[in-house]
Amino acid sequence: MSETPYGGLTQLGRPASIAASPDEAVIEKVPNPEPDHAYVVRFAAPEFTSLCPLTGQPDFAHLVIDYVPGPYLVESKSLKLYLASFRNHGAFHEACTVGIARRLVGEIQPAWLRIGGYWYPRGGIPIDVFYQTGPAPHGLFLPDQGVPPYRGRG
């Protein structure tokens, strides 16, 4: 049997558990099958959770991650497990949102990435956090992230 570019994956197609923390989570990547074309990949995580670092109370967000692949794609199961590792992690909204973006940039080296963290209210105020690596590549079809301004977010 010949070796595929996916032979190094350790989570896809196997039982895998959620890491105790985001730092311990493994983000896996696969080669970009269309490296000569600029296209957008979108992941939406409408049920993202983390903990307030001071009170320990849960915080909830709808995350939308858009990226233009460079040499790699993020393997989606590993991304799901990475995001789930925040469930018992205490950090402010800004640290979670920007930290996710920076970790992905470091792991998969995208040509461009943006993240929208649409956080549900705590204390009556929703906090939305946005980060991107720079201007979007010219000529790219980049749809709106589709998360409405807060009116119950649904």
Side-chain angles (χ1 to χ4, degrees):
M1 184 169 144
S2 65
E3 183 66 23
T4 71
Y6 314 116
L9 296 176
T10 63
Q11 299 172 97
L12 184 62
R14 298 178 175 94
S17 57
I18 298 169
S21 73
D23 289 339
E24 295 176 29
V26 175
I27 295 178
E28 297 187 322
K29 59 190 176 187
V30 297
N32 179 357
E34 296 290 338
D36 298 329
H37 296 87
Y39 59 97
V40 177
V41 177
R42 171 169 290 170
F43 289 100
E47 298 176 347
F48 179 83
T49 59
S50 65
L51 299 176
C52 173
L54 299 179
T55 67
Q57 294 296 309
D59 287 320
F60 303 90
H62 183 152
L63 299 181
V64 180
I65 302 166
D66 294 318
Y67 75 97
V68 175
Y72 303 104
L73 303 175
V74 65
E75 192 284 307
S76 61
K77 181 177 180 180
S78 73
L79 178 64
K80 175 182 75 171
L81 292 169
Y82 169 63
L83 295 178
S85 74
F86 281 84
R87 288 182 181 162
N88 294 313
H89 177 71
F92 289 118
H93 303 335
E94 298 84 353
C96 289
T97 306
V98 176
I100 290 166
R102 295 184 67 202
R103 173 86 186 265
L104 286 171
V105 167
E107 297 282 351
I108 65 168
Q109 304 158 20
W112 177 81
L113 180 139
R114 77 172 176 184
I115 185 170
Y118 301 87
W119 292 83
Y120 290 80
R122 286 197 26 91
I125 300 173
I127 300 172
D128 295 338
V129 180
F130 306 97
Y131 176 89
Q132 69 181 35
T133 58
H138 179 72
L140 207 64
F141 172 65
L142 191 59
D144 181 79
Q145 290 194 329
V147 181
Y150 190 75
R151 287 196 62 190
R153 287 262 206 266

